[in-house]
Amino acid sequence: MARREIIQLMLGSGNHNCAVRCNDNLDWTSFQLKVQEEDGGLHLCPVWGDCRLQDLAYRYQVTGRCFDPGPTRYPMETVNPFIVRDFSRCIQCGRCVQACNEVQCNDAIGIGYRGQASKIITGGDRPLKDSECVFCGECVQACPVGALVEKDARYSVRPWETHKVLTTCSYCGVGCQIHLHVKDNRVVKVTGVDEPPNNGSLCVKGRFGYHFISSAERLTDPLIRENGRFRKASWDEALDLVARRFRQIRDDHGGDPMGVLVSARITNEENYLAQKFARTVLKTNNVDHCARLCHASTVAGLAASFGSGAMTNPIADLDQSRVILVTGANSSETHPVIASRIKRAVRFQGTRLIVVDPRNIPLARFATHKLTPQPGTDVAWINGWMHIILKDNLHDEDFIRNRTEGFDALAQMVEKYTPEFVAAITGIDANELVSTARLYAQSKPAAIIYCMGITQHSTGTDNVKSLANLAMLTGNLGIPGGGVNPLRGQNNVQGACDMGGLPNVFSGYQPVADVAVLKKMEEVWTVTDLSARPGWTATEMIPKAHNGELKALYIIGENPMLSDPDLNHTEAALKRLDFLVVQDIFLTETAQLAHVVLPSACFAEKEGTFTNTERRVQRVRRAVAAPGQA
């Protein structure tokens, strides 16, 4: 009886037309028909059929309002780009506040005012668009009623009109598990799935950035350039042309003047096929992708240190870290779901956070210590930490003795990196350097998180090796909550590397120059004459196209005309190619220069797998059909 009365009070607290007044004496089905008759469906709740309050009203048979609803005190907020806030439907349960403050730790909303005037507010009671809100949508997913609704899905689709497809987000390297809600071959909504690595959370891109799937600008047919303009072609005609031109260039010049750029956006299976095509058909190891522009330093540095260029620990291990060192990574913007996990560890588990970055990144406000080195001085402050750890005898002697080599050379090398010497190079206060080094060394397990702020330097590989040395010096490897953890950028940059999308290795990082490996691959692939010469990198292919050494290039899901540093040089180089093929989902800046453009299917339109930043291999499932002939 008490629960029934509470539900009745909630129904009377606002615009909850999922039940009529008690004196209407209608059953549930009759009520739905009555409202549809009277309102034409225009004023039904936008989450009808997917509302916890409605479910409870049905469960306890509270079929009407015994209390007259009060007036709506606050107007609906529709100015926000992604979320509609309907205060007339808010039951002030506080779930959105808890989701924002305790799950995402963004502290963007709270409960304000008092008594009957209370409401969910942002700082200064501003609209969400003017607040600290990052539009992750955690509050929308937590809302049990229709008070918070995705703007684009509101009144455009009913829950029972869609079906859900479990797949993997295609934005960053976190690899969030998502449900694509599909109606009439269109993705109309995205929700997070309570599975690792994201456990239900998403960022603004993953939750709201799905409209590109059904964009009218998608490529739908193969295009062939004739007389300086594109015309539509059939797949047979386009593929015949590509095969004929590739064969002609290979037969006339061999495989060396040909190259393939694979992609961190496409699946593992597609990357494997693309690099196999380059090596077995075109007879070239000129295979590369965007990892060259982001984490090539990681692949080289960690492979040299540990044998594998990837995170040493799963993302969930951050919950067990006593100290987390974040350096060269603005995770709040690049990997928001991981940033939220770090913030929760600091706020609720007592984890100490050390941020070392020239910028004042959002994560710094959660940090116990914030160090601000001069850009490009990372090796110096890391060596300074190791000097302090050795001087204070805080290193892990057992780990060093049993699991490492070259310790004496390291100790000798860092001997000159005193706090004062490092302070002069980096600008970091010597006392802060000492206190943070001691904190890291004395708080095992300690995790290192880094990103492109470490790798994008002329000393990028050395930066990565130095972080690896720091972890080994303190024994923070092979333990939960420890490790060296690079955050990979795009959704499948780890998988593209693993599958052999690199010029010097086959799949599984097997060196192309190794005679035994070469023989093995020829037997497995049933081919002969695989090239033993390591191929050109992406940063070498463009200059070689410019000087005429590279004559043909097949680009899949990459856009050098946007990502390369000297776009005038890149444009001139691509225009000098004898033959350029671009395969993509849009007519990108690079595709506009191609001789043949092939339309791709996007992640929502195909089956396969992605490998996320922690090396988790996850399914990608087909939710909708690709447009046209893509």
Side-chain angles (χ1 to χ4, degrees):
M1 180 60 72
R3 291 182 179 182
R4 286 173 57 86
E5 290 181 357
I6 291 171
I7 295 169
Q8 288 169 349
L9 285 168
M10 286 183 175
L11 291 171
S13 68
N15 184 19
H16 303 291
N17 56 9
C18 54
V20 293
R21 292 186 173 86
C22 297
N23 55 15
D24 283 342
N25 197 27
L26 295 175
D27 63 31
W28 199 258
T29 304
S30 300
F31 162 67
Q32 295 182 55
L33 294 173
K34 181 174 186 288
V35 173
Q36 289 171 357
E37 276 180 14
E38 294 178 354
D39 292 350
L42 294 177
H43 301 292
L44 288 175
C45 180
V47 296
W48 184 289
D50 187 24
C51 173
R52 183 64 177 149
L53 180 58
Q54 186 184 59
D55 293 342
L56 290 172
Y58 181 80
R59 175 180 174 182
Y60 289 100
Q61 289 298 292
V62 181
T63 58
R65 294 177 178 146
C66 293
F67 304 97
D68 289 331
T72 301
R73 294 186 299 273
Y74 303 106
M76 188 183 302
E77 189 178 294
T78 60
V79 296
N80 304 311
F82 305 113
I83 300 170
V84 171
R85 294 210 293 178
D86 187 349
F87 294 102
S88 74
R89 301 188 190 277
C90 179
I91 59 174
Q92 298 186 41
C93 62
R95 284 191 182 185
C96 58
V97 176
Q98 190 172 14
C100 184
N101 299 343
E102 297 183 20
V103 178
Q104 290 289 338
C105 298
N106 288 328
D107 302 328
I109 58 176
I111 298 178
Y113 305 105
R114 300 176 66 86
Q116 289 187 344
S118 64
K119 65 177 286 197
I120 305 299
I121 64 168
T122 58
D125 203 11
R126 299 167 293 173
L128 285 176
K129 71 180 183 70
D130 299 324
S131 72
E132 298 299 316
C133 177
V134 297
F135 294 102
C136 64
E138 191 83 31
C139 58
V140 178
Q141 191 153 321
C143 181
V145 291
L148 292 165
V149 182
E150 297 93 339
K151 196 168 191 175
D152 290 341
R154 186 172 184 264
Y155 288 134
S156 65
V157 62
R158 293 297 192 188
W160 58 82
E161 296 175 330
T162 68
H163 68 275
K164 295 188 294 187
V165 178
L166 174 64
T167 190
T168 302
C169 181
S170 66
Y171 277 102
C172 77
V174 178
C176 292
Q177 294 301 284
I178 59 176
H179 275 139
L180 299 180
H181 297 246
V182 179
K183 177 187 177 184
D184 298 334
N185 198 46
R186 288 176 67 93
V187 175
V188 295
K189 180 179 174 180
V190 176
T191 54
V193 179
D194 193 12
E195 296 288 344
N198 55 310
N199 300 108
S201 295
L202 294 176
C203 73
V204 62
K205 292 177 286 187
R207 191 179 300 276
F208 298 111
Y210 58 84
H211 295 86
F212 75 91
I213 299 170
S214 55
S215 170
E217 297 179 9
R218 287 284 303 275
L219 290 169
T220 58
D221 298 276
L223 303 175
I224 293 176
R225 182 181 296 279
E226 285 185 354
N227 302 318
R229 303 184 69 176
F230 285 120
R231 66 167 177 86
K232 291 184 179 180
S234 68
W235 271 101
D236 285 343
E237 182 186 9
L239 291 179
D240 285 346
L241 174 60
V242 172
R244 184 172 67 253
R245 292 297 307 275
F246 277 170
R247 185 187 301 114
Q248 180 184 4
I249 294 170
R250 183 199 62 189
D251 292 347
D252 291 347
H253 304 283
D256 287 345
M258 308 182 76
V260 176
L261 293 182
V262 298
S263 176
R265 290 296 188 196
I266 63 178
T267 65
N268 285 320
E269 293 75 17
E270 291 164 330
N271 275 302
Y272 180 82
L273 287 172
Q275 63 88 28
K276 181 181 177 182
F277 167 75
R279 290 177 163 119
T280 62
V281 178
L282 302 184
K283 300 299 182 181
T284 181
N285 287 321
N286 297 334
V287 181
D288 208 358
H289 70 291
C290 69
R292 184 65 47 197
L293 309 177
C294 58
H295 274 288
S297 307
T298 288
V299 174
L302 292 190
S305 299
F306 305 145
S308 175
M311 285 179 68
T312 62
N313 292 63
I315 294 169
D317 266 17
L318 293 172
D319 296 344
Q320 303 181 51
S321 303
R322 291 184 61 197
V323 162
I324 299 174
L325 165 63
V326 175
T327 179
N330 188 0
S331 308
S332 300
E333 294 183 3
T334 58
H335 303 83
V337 171
I338 290 179
S340 294
R341 188 179 286 273
I342 294 172
K343 290 186 285 188
R344 288 196 300 272
V346 171
R347 178 166 289 182
F348 302 113
Q349 294 161 211
T351 303
R352 304 287 190 90
L353 174 62
I354 304 172
V355 172
V356 184
D357 201 296
R359 303 160 297 177
N360 189 28
I361 61 174
L363 209 55
R365 71 185 181 95
F366 289 82
T368 308
H369 296 273
K370 168 63 168 70
L371 307 185
T372 307
Q374 294 292 331
T377 61
D378 300 289
V379 169
W381 72 258
I382 299 169
N383 284 345
W385 269 25
M386 290 191 282
H387 171 94
I388 295 162
I389 290 167
L390 287 170
K391 181 182 178 182
D392 293 354
N393 200 32
L394 299 176
H395 55 291
D396 190 327
E397 294 182 354
D398 289 339
F399 185 93
I400 293 168
R401 181 171 55 253
N402 297 320
R403 304 289 296 277
T404 70
E405 56 188 28
F407 169 71
D408 291 338
L410 173 74
Q412 183 177 356
M413 185 270 296
V414 302
E415 189 172 345
K416 69 176 183 179
Y417 285 87
T418 63
E420 294 73 23
F421 179 70
V422 172
I425 297 173
T426 65
I428 300 173
D429 180 78
N431 293 327
E432 275 287 277
L433 199 73
V434 172
S435 60
T436 50
R438 288 172 177 170
L439 176 61
Y440 173 83
Q442 292 175 323
S443 304
K444 200 171 179 176
I448 297 173
I449 296 287
Y450 75 88
C451 200
M452 284 183 273
I454 284 292
T455 62
Q456 296 301 295
H457 294 279
S458 59
T459 60
T461 302
D462 291 332
N463 292 345
V464 173
K465 288 180 178 179
S466 296
L467 290 174
N469 288 337
L470 177 64
M472 287 187 283
L473 185 67
T474 53
N476 275 299
L477 278 175
I479 56 174
V484 181
N485 302 294
L487 303 184
R488 308 306 294 264
Q490 295 184 355
N491 55 296
N492 200 33
V493 69
Q494 185 64 53
C497 294
D498 294 346
M499 293 299 108
L502 298 168
N504 60 325
V505 292
F506 294 113
S507 51
Y509 305 99
Q510 305 172 90
V512 299
D514 189 312
V515 175
V517 169
L518 201 69
K519 183 178 179 182
K520 168 191 169 184
M521 298 308 292
E522 288 181 338
E523 291 176 354
V524 171
W525 283 341
T526 63
V527 296
T528 57
D529 301 325
L530 289 180
S531 174
R533 181 188 70 82
W536 295 327
T537 65
T539 50
E540 291 173 326
M541 287 189 217
I542 299 301
K544 289 184 181 297
H546 194 272
N547 64 27
E549 290 183 69
L550 185 73
K551 299 183 181 301
L553 188 57
Y554 177 23
I555 301 176
I556 307 171
E558 296 274 302
N559 192 5
M561 280 297 298
L562 193 65
S563 59
D564 279 20
D566 187 344
L567 296 185
N568 291 326
H569 178 267
T570 300
E571 181 178 8
L574 294 179
K575 286 182 175 179
R576 292 186 182 185
L577 288 167
D578 290 352
F579 195 56
L580 172 62
V581 180
V582 174
Q583 186 166 340
D584 216 311
I585 65 174
F586 291 104
L587 190 65
T588 64
E589 293 85 347
T590 302
Q592 292 172 28
L593 304 178
H595 297 94
V596 177
V597 179
L598 303 177
S600 276
C602 76
F603 84 106
E605 299 156 355
K606 57 190 173 187
E607 301 281 336
T609 59
F610 295 152
T611 304
N612 79 339
T613 188
E614 61 182 350
R615 297 170 290 160
R616 186 187 296 268
V617 181
Q618 302 180 110
R619 281 286 306 276
V620 180
R621 294 175 175 85
R622 185 175 184 267
V624 294
Q629 302 301 311

